[in-house]
Amino acid sequence: MKAALRHLLRGRRRTILAALAVFVPVFLLVVFLGMIGGMEKEMFASLTGFDTGHFQIRRVSDRPAGNALPLIRDPAPLLSLVDASDDVAWYTVRLDLPALAAAGGRSLGVVVQGISPAEATFHSPLARAVRAGRYLEPGDEGVVVGQQLLDALGVSVGDELILLGAHPQGAAGVALPRVVGTFTIPDPALGRGLVQVDLGVAQRLARTAGITAIVGYVRDVDGPWDAPRIVDAVARIRAQLPEGYEILDWAALAPESEMYLRIMRPITVAFMVAFFFLGGLVVLNTLYLSVLERTRELGIMLALGAPRRYVTGQVILESGLLATGAAVVGAVVGLGFVLGVEAAGGLPLPGAYEVGMALFGIEPLLRMRITAAEVVLSAMAMVAVAMAAAWYPARRAAALEPLETMRHAD
Amino acid sequence: MRTEAVVEARELHKVYVTGSVRTPALNGVDVTLSRGEFAAMAGPSGSGKSTLLHLLGGLDKPTSGEVLVSGAPISALSRAQLAQLRLRHVGFVFQAYNLIPVLTVLENAMFVLELQGLPLARRRKQALAVLAELGVDKYAHQFPNKLSGGEQQRVAVARAVVSDPAIVLADEPTANLDTKTSLDLIDLMRRMNEEHKTTFLFATHDTRLLDRVDRVIHLEDGRIARDERVR
Ligand SMILES: Nc1ncnc2c1ncn2[C@@H]1O[C@H](COP(=O)(O)OP(=O)(O)OP(=O)(O)O)[C@@H](O)[C@H]1O
Ligand SMILES: [Mg+2]
């Protein structure tokens, strides 16, 4: 043990190189996993917070109603069912309906989304994307629209908009809300095609007291890694749903986003395997050189009667010390980086990322999240690679012939 | 008076084969070393001194003939068994000190005892005692490269005798030392021999060392030319 440590100290340059070869992959993996964790969490929060919820309860329509969701005319029994569920942290209701938005002789087809502003203010990324004016307030008679729609209709904040409700199962209603705020999002389809009003306004437009969906959130769900909890909760609620209703979880509602979240991590990990492999090669090379350099010394040990496994053990021990030390430092520094970024509330990203991140409704801030298991596994994986890399040099050391080694050195 | 044979060579032949070149190094050597002997092996360069020492110590295998260590033949032993034999029964001192550079003097002296599985306290005590007898205990916690050649060789002698082996084999232990240091080293080995009854056999070119030993074995062309009792 002492001898192994001293070898490492003696070949300091080589040791530092090999230590870096262990340190860097571990550090990078921890940081990348931290980034992925952060992105997963943000993307998931954005997706479920604005669009899908963790789950939605909808009416199953026998008569297809265009692209409009069928109306739930009497939501009360469903609401009490959700109220009674222990799984559900909170929920809100929504009424989506196709409508015509018109101003100054121009008109465009839009989706009017009737929401409950009290909850959306906290949870919807749209509320955070408001750039001019303000977001909806409870009982609001106004409307918030995308900047693209404003431009297309040639109106501005404070102007009146004519909305003609056209839900195929409702009666046509009219509303004349004022534009109270605009949100700016890069997705042109949403920016042009989505307007939000208070639920009451939307119900007047469809002349109904109904809704189209209950949007629910499950307890103790922090990110996509908690998705199994959603699946379980959804299964329990589904079992109690009356005939004619369905419950869909976020994965079913946004399959593409769900798939993206699912493959992000494996792809990164696969990418990191290359780093681990390279690190292992450097460790192998280092130990091999060190064995060559110590041929004579190892030969003396063998001549004195040291068993071959003792010599093998020396090389393996050396590699173990080096790898464990460097991997622990890599994991600790990586963890420190991740925690530091989180403590600072995220790392601002360069401009180029802004658009891409905004597509997912994410702020251009790098958020990070890592679990203890990820940190420990990263370090342990690299130690395992380094130990495997030590195998060949160790074998070479044990195969030395003591007389040969002493003759060479003389 | 019959004494116990610690190492015995019978009809020992050794031929080195390098490619198509055959170099006969030993051509039928019979020799017996008894417990407590202090013997030197002399002879011109290439006469086979090193080869004989390696065969007697189980570092190499003869082409034919047999070596017995403490009465037991060793030709049938495996590599691992030969290592065990060296560990338990043979001490080595080489020409170029051959201490382990990353171990301190004390750790070098304890190395064999550690491999033998002695507990730390005992090997410390034993090693320190031998280092003191050889006058190098004051360097116990230094690394070998801080010591002079003569001091390093004393440590090597300490390492060879510390486990009380049947025989200590030394291949030109004084070749790198000046005359005074050489004589001092031989005197120290002699003292080890007298106090611990350790059997010594060393190869040397240096004729001035020969009047300090009991027995001189003269080797020539791989044969024992003369085997004389000096005292
Ligand atoms: N590994 C080897 N391969 C081939 N020939 C060898 C080998 N080792 C020794 N020899 C030859 O065997 C003969 C005896 O060598 P050895 O080293 O035993 O002599 P020595 O008496 O120790 O000589 P010196 O006094 O120079 O150390 C020499 O001719 C030498 O060249
Ligand atoms: Mg020789």
Side-chain angles (χ1 to χ4, degrees):
Chain A
M1 176 90 168
K2 259 189 204 161
L5 256 181
R6 289 190 197 133
H7 279 134
L8 292 173
L9 292 177
R10 198 176 48 166
R12 196 159 296 157
R13 267 174 86 148
R14 217 168 36 208
T15 302
I16 288 173
L17 182 70
L20 276 177
V22 170
F23 169 89
V24 171
V26 173
F27 172 78
L28 284 181
L29 182 57
V30 169
V31 169
F32 280 176
L33 286 175
M35 278 169 55
I36 290 175
M39 281 169 67
E40 281 176 345
K41 182 172 171 158
E42 289 290 297
M43 281 173 60
F44 180 79
S46 152
L47 174 74
T48 59
F50 163 59
D51 200 14
T52 63
H54 292 165
F55 65 82
Q56 290 187 15
I57 298 174
R58 295 175 173 177
R59 180 119 181 86
V60 185
S61 76
D62 30 8
R63 278 172 301 140
N67 56 1
L69 294 175
L71 277 177
I72 304 170
R73 292 187 194 280
D74 178 19
L78 293 175
L79 293 179
S80 57
L81 190 157
V82 175
D83 268 329
S85 163
D86 286 336
D87 294 316
V88 177
W90 65 280
Y91 64 89
T92 185
V93 296
R94 210 146 82 185
L95 172 57
D96 289 359
L97 71 154
L100 202 66
R106 282 184 260 182
S107 66
L108 272 172
V110 296
V111 170
V112 171
Q113 197 165 64
I115 53 140
S116 168
E119 286 127 13
T121 308
F122 288 108
H123 298 285
S124 166
L126 269 196
R128 273 180 267 135
V130 169
R131 294 288 177 269
R134 59 168 175 80
Y135 192 63
L136 297 173
E137 289 164 358
D140 213 315
E141 290 295 323
V143 59
V144 289
V145 303
Q147 187 60 49
Q148 288 95 332
L149 183 68
L150 273 199
D151 294 343
L153 294 178
V155 291
S156 45
V157 174
D159 291 350
E160 247 176 22
L161 210 60
I162 305 164
L163 292 177
L164 279 164
H167 196 285
Q169 295 172 338
V174 185
L176 292 170
R178 243 172 240 296
V179 177
V180 295
T182 66
F183 50 82
T184 307
I185 53 173
D187 183 346
L190 279 183
R192 251 175 108 91
L194 181 74
V195 306
Q196 279 192 331
V197 295
D198 185 80
L199 182 65
V201 174
Q203 285 175 336
R204 288 209 302 274
L205 277 175
R207 299 223 183 163
T208 175
I211 57 172
T212 51
I214 297 172
V215 181
Y217 293 85
V218 174
R219 266 180 226 287
D220 301 325
V221 172
D222 207 27
W225 48 86
D226 292 325
R229 232 171 243 152
I230 299 178
V231 172
D232 291 348
V234 162
R236 279 190 285 271
I237 296 170
R238 182 175 291 131
Q240 303 172 38
L241 274 186
E243 188 72 23
Y245 295 93
E246 64 179 352
I247 178 166
L248 300 165
D249 67 8
W250 66 287
L253 290 163
E256 280 160 35
S257 303
E258 194 266 348
M259 192 190 73
Y260 192 85
L261 281 170
R262 197 143 37 87
I263 62 173
M264 202 156 64
R265 184 172 294 260
I267 284 178
T268 307
V269 169
F271 186 65
M272 289 306 297
V273 167
F275 276 89
F276 274 57
F277 188 71
L278 280 180
L281 279 183
V282 175
V283 171
L284 189 151
N285 184 52
T286 303
L287 287 171
Y288 187 61
L289 286 180
S290 135
V291 165
L292 284 187
E293 197 173 84
R294 280 152 52 202
T295 296
R296 181 193 176 89
E297 175 185 335
L298 296 169
I300 301 167
M301 293 181 171
L302 290 168
L304 293 176
R308 285 175 194 268
R309 74 187 122 72
Y310 175 86
V311 174
T312 314
Q314 286 291 307
V315 177
I316 301 272
L317 180 64
E318 212 175 298
S319 147
L321 283 175
L322 178 107
T324 310
V328 166
V329 174
V332 167
V333 174
L335 180 65
F337 185 83
V338 171
L339 295 180
V341 165
E342 268 316 276
L347 206 66
L349 284 175
Y353 287 93
E354 266 181 52
V355 174
M357 301 287 274
L359 269 177
F360 290 100
I362 303 176
E363 286 178 82
L365 270 180
L366 178 65
R367 304 299 300 264
M368 291 193 154
R369 174 193 180 272
I370 192 125
T371 60
E374 284 169 333
V375 174
V376 171
L377 278 178
S378 301
M380 280 185 3
M382 189 66 224
V383 170
V385 168
M387 301 300 275
W391 183 82
Y392 178 66
R395 282 291 302 268
R396 283 296 298 245
L400 291 171
E401 282 299 333
L403 275 183
E404 288 291 326
T405 64
M406 284 189 283
R407 192 172 301 120
H408 283 305
D410 281 341
Chain B
M1 174 184 92
R2 272 193 56 87
T3 46
E4 182 193 346
V6 286
V7 173
E8 231 180 309
R10 290 184 188 157
E11 260 305 292
L12 220 48
H13 289 260
K14 177 71 183 180
V15 181
Y16 290 107
V17 181
T18 318
S20 59
V21 183
R22 293 166 52 88
T23 314
L26 293 181
N27 302 306
V29 171
D30 286 276
V31 69
T32 301
L33 281 133
S34 307
R35 183 162 167 76
E37 268 194 300
F38 194 69
M41 187 161 36
S45 188
S47 57
K49 302 185 295 294
S50 298
T51 303
L52 181 54
L53 286 178
H54 294 156
L55 294 182
L56 293 179
L59 268 174
D60 204 354
K61 294 204 163 197
T63 309
S64 68
E66 184 62 271
V67 172
L68 297 97
V69 176
S70 305
I74 68 170
S75 63
L77 298 185
S78 68
R79 289 208 315 185
Q81 287 169 322
L82 282 177
Q84 272 300 309
L85 174 93
R86 296 196 296 272
L87 184 61
R88 307 267 163 200
H89 300 288
V90 186
F92 287 101
V93 179
F94 303 99
Q95 175 177 336
Y97 323 137
N98 277 324
L99 297 175
I100 296 163
V102 290
L103 298 182
T104 63
V105 163
L106 177 61
E107 287 160 356
N108 262 283
M110 295 192 301
F111 183 73
V112 172
L113 301 178
E114 185 185 347
L115 291 179
Q116 288 182 351
L118 257 66
L120 177 65
R122 264 188 64 196
R123 47 181 209 257
R124 248 183 98 86
K125 198 172 148 216
Q126 221 165 306
L128 279 172
V130 175
L131 288 172
E133 282 185 73
L134 288 159
V136 284
D137 53 330
K138 54 181 170 293
Y139 306 121
H141 300 292
Q142 308 251 355
F143 287 95
N145 61 2
K146 294 277 186 295
L147 275 58
S148 73
E151 289 160 350
Q152 288 190 40
Q153 206 59 315
R154 289 195 209 176
V155 176
V157 171
R159 185 179 64 189
V161 302
V162 72
S163 62
D164 194 22
I167 188 165
V168 173
L169 301 170
D171 197 354
E172 311 203 25
T174 62
N176 292 1
L177 306 178
D178 61 48
T179 310
K180 160 115 180 47
T181 318
S182 299
L183 295 175
D184 287 351
L185 187 77
I186 296 299
D187 289 344
L188 277 169
M189 284 165 58
R190 175 95 230 186
R191 247 181 63 198
M192 293 290 113
N193 163 254
E194 281 164 358
E195 284 169 18
H196 301 286
K197 295 280 166 284
T198 312
T199 314
F200 276 83
L201 173 62
F202 63 92
T204 184
H205 277 126
D206 191 344
T207 48
R208 280 165 308 182
L209 305 180
L210 298 183
D211 50 345
R212 286 175 145 75
V213 300
D214 302 335
R215 176 181 177 189
V216 183
I217 301 163
H218 292 272
L219 229 56
E220 258 167 54
D221 294 331
R223 283 196 183 80
I224 295 183
R226 266 179 303 141
D227 188 346
E228 17 173 37
R229 304 262 156 201
V230 183
R231 300 192 189 185

